[in-house]
Amino acid sequence: MKHLADVDWSAWRARDPATLVFVFREDEILLINKKTGLGKGKVNAPGGKVDPGETPEAAAVRECREELHITVRNLEYCGEHRFQFVDGYSIHVWVYRTRDFDGEPTESLEAEPLWTRMDEIPFDAMWEDDKYWLPMLVRGERFQTRWIFDGDRMLDYQIEGDGNIASWGKLVVPGINGARS
């Protein structure tokens, strides 16, 4: 399994449902150094698995509380990712953004908070796919994606637009969206 066409997406079901939450403050975005689980050692956003009986939005709020000791509210749905790994693992991720939160992001056993300027997002330390869709989230473009990964390496992908929400700025990624390295 190396290509999207190798997967019967109409019958595909993820092993794990999960969430990501991007918290914004002025010209900064709250990222984390992930200390445990899938993506350990990478820079990501807070989030994690949806518990049985829990909605993705409730899981997003809970995960921010557990990982960073903040309470997010007024989450805005941005899109969904469907990740299939060649080893058989799969994960369906609901993505949200917000500017509304209470508390000071604080390090936990799971994550170290990183307030990051929008023009300094460390894409080289993140999952390879992030540079393709995170600019869409910032611009207010909803998305539906499918990804094939072999470990950390992205093999194939598809991104479809899924409507628009308010733009929160512009994010230029070298080598992507017409930018030069």
Side-chain angles (χ1 to χ4, degrees):
M1 172 184 356
K2 294 184 179 182
H3 303 283
L4 291 169
D6 298 335
V7 177
D8 178 1
W9 293 98
S10 65
W12 184 86
R13 298 290 175 264
R15 183 168 116 193
D16 288 325
T19 64
L20 284 173
V21 181
F22 290 86
V23 178
F24 290 79
R25 176 180 74 183
E26 297 171 14
D27 67 341
E28 295 179 307
I29 187 169
L30 180 57
L31 301 174
I32 62 169
N33 274 326
K34 185 141 171 63
K35 296 163 62 175
T36 62
L38 183 66
K40 178 181 177 181
K42 292 187 178 298
V43 172
N44 206 338
K49 292 180 186 173
V50 178
D51 288 339
E54 188 176 43
T55 66
E57 188 169 338
V61 172
R62 177 184 50 75
E63 286 288 344
C64 286
R65 194 175 309 115
E66 290 175 2
E67 291 184 357
L68 296 176
H69 308 110
I70 61 172
T71 301
V72 294
R73 59 186 187 288
N74 299 320
L75 295 181
E76 192 168 32
Y77 170 81
C78 297
E80 296 174 39
H81 297 301
R82 290 159 180 86
F83 291 97
Q84 180 62 58
F85 290 80
V86 298
D87 67 2
Y89 181 70
S90 57
I91 187 168
H92 183 171
V93 181
W94 285 263
V95 183
Y96 300 92
R97 69 180 189 178
T98 189
R99 292 177 193 241
D100 299 328
F101 68 97
D102 294 317
E104 183 63 33
T106 306
E107 186 170 357
S108 69
L109 294 175
E110 298 180 61
E112 173 192 1
L114 302 168
W115 280 113
T116 306
R117 287 179 39 91
M118 294 289 289
D119 59 356
E120 295 176 356
I121 294 174
F123 285 104
D124 289 344
M126 299 170 79
W127 284 97
E128 189 177 354
D129 60 286
D130 293 351
K131 63 187 174 189
Y132 294 98
W133 61 267
L134 188 52
M136 295 176 72
L137 179 145
V138 173
R139 290 191 307 261
E141 299 170 24
R142 286 194 172 133
F143 49 83
Q144 295 291 319
T145 69
R146 295 176 179 160
W147 309 91
I148 304 289
F149 269 81
D150 184 0
D152 288 355
R153 193 167 59 99
M154 186 175 67
L155 302 179
D156 199 5
Y157 71 96
Q158 176 185 26
I159 301 174
E160 294 179 1
D162 192 25
N164 292 299
I165 49 182
S167 175
W168 286 3
K170 183 176 180 184
L171 180 58
V172 176
V173 181
I176 308 294
N177 38 342
R180 295 179 190 233
S181 300

